[in-house]
Amino acid sequence: MITLPRFLFLGLGALFSAYHLFLGLSSLSIPANPGPAIAAMILYAVATVISLWPTSPTKMPLWLAAFDLAVCVAIPILVTSQLDPSRDNGYATWYVAAVGTLMTIVAVRRQQFAAWVGVGYLAVQTIVWAGVAALAGLGVIGSVVWVGVAVVISGSLAKAGRDALQFARAEREATEWQAAQEAHVMERQMRLRQTYRVAAPMLAEIVRRGGDLTEAERRECRYLEGAIRDEIRGRRLLNDDVRRQVMDARRRGVVVSLLDEGGIDDLDERSLMTVLKRLADAIRGTTTDKLIVRTVPRSSKTAVTVVGLRMSDDGNANALGADTEDDEVDLWLEIPRPVREA
């Protein structure tokens, strides 16, 4: 947020307030009875100190704004009760600038309504006590202008702060979007390189022989197609050892499906290698008919599940008109999520 420099604001407010109190003290000989004026000075000093307290929040609490407003109501009554409106009272009318200063502080601390009410009351009280002409002579108009300037500046700074936050948020979102796009491009390029490495030799052989392949070579093409599909769907479930074991399993007749749904994206490189080593060991030598490997959501203690299914030749199922054969679970393995070291 963009705000006024706090210590500069506090220092200026304290200096102006002290100056008004000095004027009031220097003119105590003018009032008929200095007691009410001294009481007004004490109230003003207390309100100013509380309002300018260094550790207070930027926005003034409502109770403090109400207290300052009450002080601004009491001070003119106390001071003017001992002054003659028909004569020149000199600095004895210090309360006008004091009220303007206190209400300016209230306005800067984002209680603009209370500030307007305070200077509005000052103007009405001055008219009742000394007439409309006294508004300019006593400086009431200047106090109103101070509050107006404070309200405008505070509003402009608040709007500038909101705009700055919005721009910072937009810049952060743009940076995140750009990083995501770059990550997608890098991922695509890596998958394309891996796919090319797997498929290029066989494609070159197909072109060289004009598509005239033996049955064994056609099976090898289907294995390579499965390997390419693994690169797309398996993502982080793959390393060289896992790729090798999956290819060996397919050549043994096992139907292998690798599904990475983002459950291991949070694993660091060391933890991921631990999981993939156990996965390669689980695939190695398996003789099941179907093998399904998939990641588990991050909230689980399990990182990867490995399910092996064996086809069941049940004549009763076929007699009942079943279109597919029932699968029996032949292998069930849960690879735990490695615990991060502190």
Side-chain angles (χ1 to χ4, degrees):
M1 294 292 291
I2 300 177
T3 58
L4 287 173
R6 189 174 183 85
F7 289 102
L8 176 62
F9 167 70
L10 296 178
L12 289 175
L15 286 175
F16 272 101
S17 300
Y19 177 68
H20 300 323
L21 291 175
F22 172 77
L23 292 179
L25 289 173
S26 65
S27 61
L28 285 178
S29 60
I30 298 178
N33 182 4
I38 294 174
M41 294 179 195
I42 294 174
L43 284 175
Y44 177 67
V46 170
T48 301
V49 169
I50 298 175
S51 299
L52 295 177
W53 197 257
T55 59
S56 57
T58 301
K59 185 173 182 179
M60 177 178 287
L62 187 59
W63 66 267
L64 181 55
F67 174 74
D68 287 347
L69 183 59
V71 169
C72 289
V73 170
I75 289 177
I77 296 176
L78 289 172
V79 176
T80 57
S81 66
Q82 303 301 317
L83 297 178
D84 183 359
S86 60
R87 55 178 290 191
D88 183 10
N89 293 291
Y91 292 131
T93 57
W94 61 271
Y95 71 91
V96 175
V99 169
T101 301
L102 186 56
M103 290 296 98
T104 299
I105 296 172
V106 172
V108 170
R109 292 192 59 186
R110 303 178 186 175
Q111 290 290 354
Q112 288 89 351
F113 178 77
W116 283 121
V117 172
V119 294
Y121 169 79
L122 176 65
V124 172
Q125 193 274 340
T126 300
I127 293 173
V128 172
W129 178 64
V132 177
L135 292 177
L138 298 180
V140 176
I141 295 177
S143 295
V144 175
V145 171
W146 288 357
V147 172
V149 171
V151 169
V152 172
I153 294 177
S154 299
S156 299
L157 289 174
K159 184 178 183 301
R162 289 192 299 269
D163 291 343
L165 286 177
Q166 185 176 358
F167 291 149
R169 189 181 302 111
E171 181 180 5
R172 184 167 57 252
E173 291 175 354
T175 302
E176 293 174 354
W177 177 85
Q178 183 177 3
Q181 295 303 310
E182 291 177 353
H184 290 323
V185 171
M186 293 178 63
E187 178 79 7
R188 257 194 318 269
Q189 290 175 346
M190 189 267 288
R191 297 300 172 190
L192 286 173
R193 286 195 299 268
Q194 182 65 26
T195 301
Y196 178 79
R197 185 177 67 84
V198 171
M202 181 56 70
L203 293 175
E205 184 65 17
I206 293 173
V207 172
R208 187 180 68 81
R209 299 178 55 178
D212 185 15
L213 303 178
T214 65
E215 186 59 31
E217 290 171 337
R218 292 180 185 275
R219 283 197 304 270
E220 190 66 21
C221 285
R222 287 194 290 270
Y223 299 153
L224 291 178
E225 179 189 2
I228 295 173
R229 187 167 56 249
D230 291 341
E231 296 296 331
I232 299 173
R233 301 171 64 183
R235 297 178 58 241
R236 299 196 80 194
L237 283 171
L238 294 169
N239 64 6
D240 291 341
D241 195 14
V242 173
R243 289 186 183 98
R244 185 166 49 252
Q245 297 306 324
V246 169
M247 183 61 73
D248 291 344
R250 287 196 172 110
R251 287 173 178 148
R252 292 193 302 270
V254 181
V255 178
V256 183
S257 295
L258 299 179
L259 300 172
D260 179 6
E261 298 172 334
I264 57 175
D265 287 349
D266 61 325
L267 296 183
D268 56 30
E269 194 65 24
R270 182 178 178 182
S271 300
L272 181 62
M273 289 302 102
T274 301
V275 171
L276 296 184
K277 182 180 183 302
R278 295 202 57 185
L279 176 59
D281 293 340
I283 300 174
R284 183 180 292 109
T286 183
T287 57
T288 189
D289 295 329
K290 292 182 180 179
L291 192 65
I292 302 174
V293 180
R294 68 190 311 161
T295 59
V296 179
R298 303 179 189 181
S299 58
S300 173
K301 295 182 179 180
T302 302
V304 176
T305 59
V306 182
V307 181
L309 301 175
R310 188 171 296 280
M311 305 300 294
S312 175
D313 296 329
D314 188 351
N316 294 329
N318 292 333
L320 292 174
D323 294 331
T324 59
E325 299 172 341
D326 294 331
D327 296 338
E328 296 179 354
V329 176
D330 183 51
L331 170 65
W332 179 275
L333 175 63
E334 293 182 345
I335 300 176
R337 188 178 297 274
V339 178
R340 293 181 179 178
E341 297 180 358

